[in-house]
């Protein structure tokens, strides 16, 4: 089949860069206000599955100007995310998230579909608190204490990257680099309101490259730039008569990656920025064992909301099951 | 439920290793620095460095017919850049425009649009992306794409004698600059 390749960035942006994790799941109190795959306190494990439906709507160039896709373009990526979180100790938990990616693109009248495993993430979290910090009223100073999580995420390049044996860019589902992120999540709930701040800073590991898009090249070393993600969210929890809850969360994210280095020298064409909003509705049963989530992530397709990066909307539908 | 708790982590790990262990994706898990470029016969006709580039005829977005030989007759060398009007391509082309074209005024830079599929659509993409000043060849049937094994960001340098001096991904543009600077 003769294919017309679509940009690497188009294909892998969502699978690799989307600020939210695939699982919007229960936080320390349970109920689904957090933006990370985190086990509630006193829970043994959690299974989470979600599907992302990402639609592309042009891109921002290096100057931050928004550029539309060619007329007739319809670029989509779908991701099925499998996640599992396991409590290791009273304050420690670990999780793994594996996406499977489908690319479905129509570009100037050409239709293409490909699929493959995305990059896998392994998380380790430390909870700097013993008791649930969600309160109804502030009665004493200690009621203001938030939940603090400190974590690390290792991204494994299990996806198909430009440096694999690919015939064209439609095969690409990952970036091809290991990355280690340090994460801090501060969260506080004073019912019905909650707020959270997630800061994640990642460093890639330099690697050798001897092939680009299936073509062997003179070997060289490359490293991607440091990556920063900051997400601030505000949530409101509505208690139903059955004591089930519905939590609405509005989040703002800033994602940026510094310029890459090739053989130790800066690549001026690399690096990116993206700012986006996400609105989540999470329904949790009274026991907080089942959580159903829907998230709409939206990037503003105007100048100045990103640089060197695709503009996309993402709809995420997911379900979590907590094992007590 | 006990079985689920006990075996689920192990099952997930098995799935992980099975899936990452096939389809060649382990290439990224264990990167190689071995030089595996195929050897080519210098001077033979082909698209790889040291080979003689085949002449071609293509139509630009203003409907002018252009050949490699005619372009080489007007310049010291020719650079072909394969674009699909993507963010990365835009970044590369912006770098070419701001850094390399002024530095190498006697080099002919030709952008190859191998995705848009027609001359009018290619012209529209060229203008929409702000590259009206470039000469863009509408590679509607992907003839150039196939001849030069082009893809997104692939950059080909052909010297005045028609010899291919570079054929690889643009990356940061440094290799292109070094290649052009080394030409006689």
């Amino acid at each position: 089949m003769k294919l017309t390749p679509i940009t690497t960035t188009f294909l892998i942006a969502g699978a690799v860069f989307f600020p939210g994790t695939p699982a919007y799941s229960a936080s320390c109190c349970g109920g689904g206000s957090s933006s990370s795959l985190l086990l509630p306190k006193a829970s043994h494990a959690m299974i989470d599955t979600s599907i992302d439906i990402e639609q592309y709507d042009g891109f921002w160039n290096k100057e931050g100007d928004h550029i539309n896709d060619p007329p007739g373009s319809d670029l989509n990526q779908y991701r099925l995310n499998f996640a599992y979180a396991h409590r290791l100790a009273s304050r420690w938990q670990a999780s793994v998230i594996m996406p499977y990616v489908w690319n479905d693109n129509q570009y100037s009248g050409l239709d293409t579909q490909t699929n493959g495993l995305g990059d896998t993430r392994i998380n380790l979290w430390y909870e700097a608190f013993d008791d649930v910090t969600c309160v109804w009223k502030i009665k004493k100073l200690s009621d203001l204490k938030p939940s603090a999580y400190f974590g690390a995420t290792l991204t494994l390049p299990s996806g198909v990257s430009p440096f694999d044996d690919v015939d064209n860019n439609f095969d690409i589902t990952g970036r091809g680099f290991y990355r280690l992120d340090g994460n801090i999540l501060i969260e506080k709930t004073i019912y019905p309101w909650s707020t959270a701040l997630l800061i994640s800073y990642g460093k890639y590991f330099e690697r050798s490259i001897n092939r680009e898009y299936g073509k062997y090249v003179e070997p060289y070393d490359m490293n991607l730039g440091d990556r920063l993600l900051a997400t601030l969210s505000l949530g409101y929890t509505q208690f139903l008569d059955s004591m089930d809850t519905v939590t609405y969360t509005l989040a703002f994210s800033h994602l940026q990656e510094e310029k890459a280095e090739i053989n130790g020298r800066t690549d001026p064409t690399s690096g990116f920025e993206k700012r986006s909003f996400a609105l989540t509705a999470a329904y949790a049963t009274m026991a907080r064992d089942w959580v159903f989530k829907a998230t709409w992530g939206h990037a503003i397709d105007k100048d100045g909301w990103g640089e060197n990066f695709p503009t996309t909307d993402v709809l995420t539908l997911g379900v979590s099951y907590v094992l007590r | 439920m006990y079985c689920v708790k006990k075996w689920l982590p192990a099952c997930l790990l098995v799935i992980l290793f099975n899936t990452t262990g096939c389809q060649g994706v382990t290439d990224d898990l264990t990167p190689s620095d071995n030089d595996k470029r195929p050897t080519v016969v210098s001077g033979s006709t082909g698209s790889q460095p040291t080979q003689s580039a085949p002449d071609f005829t293509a139509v630009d977005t203003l409907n002018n017919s252009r050949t490699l030989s005619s372009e080489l007759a007007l310049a010291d060398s020719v650079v072909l850049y394969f674009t699909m009007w993507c963010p990365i391509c835009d970044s590369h082309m912006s770098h070419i425009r701001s850094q390399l074209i002024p530095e190498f005024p006697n080099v002919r830079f030709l952008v190859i649009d191998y995705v848009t599929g027609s001359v009018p659509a290619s012209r529209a993409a060229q203008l929409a992306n702000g590259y009206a000043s470039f000469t863009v060849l509408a590679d509607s049937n992907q003839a150039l794409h196939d001849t030069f094994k082009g893809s997104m960001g692939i950059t080909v340098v052909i010297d005045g004698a028609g010899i291919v001096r570079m054929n690889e991904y643009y990356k940061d543009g440094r290799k292109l600059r070094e290649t052009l600077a080394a030409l006689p």
Side-chain angles (χ1 to χ4, degrees), chain A residues 5-6 161 164 207 211 269, chain B residues 5 27-28 34 84 88 91:
Chain A
I6 292 288
S161 81
D164 281 314
R207 60 163 288 181
R211 181 170 51 188
T269 68
Chain B
K5 289 181 181 177
D27 292 348
D28 284 329
N34 294 331
M84 55 194 309
I88 294 174
S91 181

Side-chain angles (χ1 to χ4, degrees), chain A residues 5 32 68 72 93 134 139 150 173 183 206 233 243 262 269 273 287:
Chain A
N68 291 323
Q93 58 177 286
C134 306
K139 296 177 180 174
F150 301 93
T173 61
N183 311 311
E206 187 177 62
S233 66
M243 289 307 289
I262 297 173
T269 68
E273 282 189 23

Side-chain angles (χ1 to χ4, degrees), chain A residues 2-10 44 46-47 59-63 67-68 70-71 82-84 86 96 98 100 107-108 110 116-117 120 122 156-165 167-169 175-178 207-213 215-221 262 265-270 308-310 321 323-324, chain B residues 1 4-6 8-9 12-13 15-17 19-20 23-38 47-48 84-92 94-95 97 113-117 121 124-125 128-131 140-143 145-146 148-154 156 167-175 178:
Chain A
K2 185 177 180 179
L3 293 175
T4 300
I6 292 288
T7 168
T8 303
T9 306
F10 279 157
H44 172 76
M46 181 162 61
I47 304 165
F59 66 93
W60 296 284
N61 64 15
K62 288 286 287 183
E63 288 70 43
I67 308 292
N68 291 323
F82 299 100
Y84 175 76
H86 192 93
V96 58
M98 294 176 57
Y100 196 86
Y107 194 80
S108 296
L110 294 173
L117 191 68
T120 301
I122 299 172
L156 307 178
S158 53
V160 182
S161 81
F163 318 116
D164 281 314
D165 186 15
D167 292 331
N168 55 64
N169 297 333
R175 296 201 76 184
F177 284 80
Y178 287 89
R207 60 163 288 181
S208 298
I209 292 170
N210 67 351
R211 181 170 51 188
E212 297 164 341
Y213 303 104
K215 180 186 290 187
Y216 284 107
V217 298
E218 181 181 2
Y220 62 93
D221 294 328
I262 297 173
R265 296 188 289 190
T266 301
D267 175 2
T269 68
S270 59
N308 205 25
F309 204 77
Y321 179 68
L323 293 83
R324 300 291 177 183
Chain B
M1 194 53 65
V4 173
K5 289 181 181 177
K6 184 176 180 180
L8 191 59
L12 285 173
L13 282 176
I15 292 170
L16 169 67
F17 288 119
T19 49
T20 58
Q23 301 175 349
V25 297
T26 52
D27 292 348
D28 284 329
L29 294 171
T30 55
S32 169
D33 61 356
N34 294 331
D35 191 344
K36 297 182 178 179
R37 288 176 292 175
S47 63
Q48 299 309 301
M84 55 194 309
W85 310 112
C86 61
I88 294 174
C89 304
D90 179 79
S91 181
H92 292 166
S94 176
H95 191 249
R97 177 167 53 192
D113 175 1
Y114 66 102
V115 295
T116 306
N129 285 275
Y131 290 97
S140 303
N141 58 2
Q142 294 194 329
H145 170 273
D146 295 343
F148 290 95
K149 297 180 173 58
S151 185
M152 182 198 78
I154 291 294
V156 181
N167 184 337
E168 64 182 57
Y169 186 63
Y170 187 83
K171 292 195 282 289
D172 58 359
R174 190 165 278 123
K175 178 71 177 289
E178 291 171 355

Side-chain angles (χ1 to χ4, degrees), chain A residues 64-87:
Chain A
D65 300 329
H66 185 264
I67 308 292
N68 291 323
D69 291 327
S73 300
D74 185 15
L75 311 175
N76 301 281
Q77 185 177 84
Y78 308 100
R79 298 181 293 276
L80 181 59
N81 307 293
F82 299 100
Y84 175 76
H86 192 93
R87 182 161 296 284

Side-chain angles (χ1 to χ4, degrees), chain B residues 14 22 32 49 52 61 67 83 90-91 94 98-99 113 122 127 141-142 148 151 165 183:
Chain B
V14 169
C22 61
S32 169
S52 180
T61 52
T67 65
T83 187
D90 179 79
S91 181
S94 176
S98 65
Q99 302 293 321
D113 175 1
S122 187
L127 296 178
N141 58 2
Q142 294 194 329
F148 290 95
S151 185
R165 295 299 178 186
L183 292 178

